[in-house]
Amino acid sequence: MDTLSNYIFPNEFHITWTVMIVLYPYITGMVAGAFIVSSFYHVFNMEKLKTVARFALVSSLAFLLFATVPLLNHLGRPERAFYIMMTPNFSSAMSGFGFIYSFYMIIVVLEIWLSYRVEIIDKYNKSNGIVKFIYLVVLLGNANDNENTRRFDKRLVIALASFGIPVACILHGYVGFLFGSIKANPWWSTPLMFIIFIFSAIVSGLAVLIFLYQFVHWMRKRSIDQDCLDLMAKWLWGFMIIAVTLELMEVLSISYENTERWAILRQLIDGKLKLSYVYLQIGLFSIVPFIMLTITSLSKMKNTKVKNLTIWIASVMLLLQVLFMRWNVVIGGQLVSKSMRGFTEYFPGLWDKEGLIVSFLIILVPFVLLYLFDKVFPFFGEKSH
Amino acid sequence: MEKIERRQFIKLGLFSTAGILVGSFFAFAKTEKDIEVNSYEDLLKFDWGYIVDTTRCIGCGSCVRACKVENEVPEGYFRTWVERFEITKDETVYVDSPKGAIEGFNRDNAQTAEIVKAFFVPKLCNHCYDAPCIQVCPVGASYRSPDKVVLVDKEHCVGCGYCVQACPYGVRYINEEKGVADKCTLCYHRIQKGLAPACVNSCPRNARIYGNLKDPNSEINKVLHQRRYGLLKPDLGTNPKCFYIGLDKEVK
């Protein structure tokens, strides 16, 4: 039987989760991804990544600090936000959020503190008065620096980084689970969801590091560590292949199973999500960067300028790919009526409380924070070098 | 003499203070007794269930209006609504629920085609035994009362909207003014006093029946024993407690 009327339940005219909930997994994705990149160096001894290891770690923290902002902006009663830790209902996938988030924050802050300890001690020794006191407080009163303390700190960093990998996967995998476990929603409900989220997190983490690393070096007219960039680009290529394949496999398996839900999801993909999913997420922002990264990874391009520019454009496109993926999951899933007979509409307003300007500011703030951090502790050595 | 007077004064003071304390204790104890609160043990004797007889509904929308007034349901949202299904000769299904049918229906849907089957289906919270909304609430603000009604603690809800996503029936919404989740309470304030929910009370065709599933002699059990009924989306394992008589396969 065919349905002609586009029927949705009367409570479904406004979607519940707005673009704020698109930003949250996008930002945590970059958190988890950037952290995993820094762990490649610390745990798996990939020396080539040393250049970006600490930068990745601090980026992770900068995004982590603002991951909760869109959530708080979205909550109906933000003043009750801490109830999630005070009275958690452990049958809810969401209840673990506060604990996982805090735990991860502790790991990242500790790791940054330990890996910057030598620099902080150096600043402490060179400064005077109140600034010296502030550095002493940051050092927790211990300004000892010798071979033994450095070795001990390094060991702790390795331990924290190894421990942090599963926690980063949990932090982001659980965001995927949060969607994937909603049986009421045909577009979300799949056990693949949390795996897709982990891989797309790594893609966005690698992409944002490549994007920033090259951008900063171009702005400062400094030479790029080609080995490091090539390795990151190769990793990005590999992880984007896995992420996009998983995304496509999910839709393929739903369509092949051809159950009741495919009847409505087919209309969703062919209708409301045609532009943002088919043309943009899969077409432009997956296939094109895949071709670009295949060329830069496999062929011996002698012109590094062209090569690096190609890598940079591919990383920007993949950042957009992940953003569209989040949009298509979070918003796309809510466009489908639970009556299975129609679709609702959504587009964020420009100046709304949960609109586009606010979204843009939330995305921008971590980058400003990174800029300020770089003023105090330059990521890639002093400018004069 | 003076000493005795002082002693008497203290005695008087002590006695009067004790008197006020004891007296006020009784006074407060008495007002507590005046409030009609069913004890936990009393509530355990109930398991509220609901029947929608789709064969009787005429789509007048009285229930929707009654609910709106009784529960101050915000504009644009519904705790209950009525859907109209029209199936034409060429087997096309037309479904609509203009403004939740708060003003009933006009003859304006499938005008061109020949309708072979048509019926109305009132919808409301199914008060599921295995409610996904309770499962997903991160702070435990969605809960099941001892008499098995699914409720929201508005003093505790953070307004995250996860329950709205988890409900397969679309009966929940975020009350934008209060910033918390909201839904049908089966008129909990009324059923506690022995009154029928507003929608049941206002239905002119007795298409809505509510009652205690734990009482073998209740009307709801009698009807359930006589009639054949269906559940909405039974495959999702929510175990809904809203039983639909004459449910068509097109209703989801």
Side-chain angles (χ1 to χ4, degrees), chain A residues 105-176:
Chain A
M105 180 79 95
I106 293 167
I107 290 180
V108 174
V109 169
L110 267 182
E111 207 183 319
I112 290 175
W113 184 74
L114 287 167
S115 52
Y116 272 95
R117 212 173 152 264
V118 176
E119 273 88 343
I120 302 171
I121 290 169
D122 187 45
K123 293 255 179 192
Y124 165 77
N125 288 331
K126 285 178 186 165
S127 55
N128 287 309
I130 189 86
V131 182
K132 196 178 180 85
F133 180 71
I134 291 170
Y135 280 119
L136 192 66
V137 172
V138 173
L139 286 165
L140 301 178
N142 184 345
N144 282 338
D145 179 33
N146 54 48
E147 279 301 305
N148 276 335
T149 61
R150 287 189 188 197
R151 206 181 314 131
F152 185 74
D153 287 354
K154 198 178 175 196
R155 243 187 256 157
L156 268 184
V157 167
I158 292 171
L160 282 169
S162 344
F163 199 53
I165 296 172
V167 180
C169 287
I170 289 170
L171 174 74
H172 204 66
Y174 126 93
V175 180

Side-chain angles (χ1 to χ4, degrees), chain A residues 16 56 69 83 119 142 170 182 276 282 310 338 353 375-376:
Chain A
T16 312
V69 175
Y83 286 3
E119 273 88 343
N142 184 345
I170 289 170
I182 294 298
S276 63
I282 301 297
T310 316
K338 286 165 182 168
K353 175 173 159 265
K375 288 273 165 203
V376 187

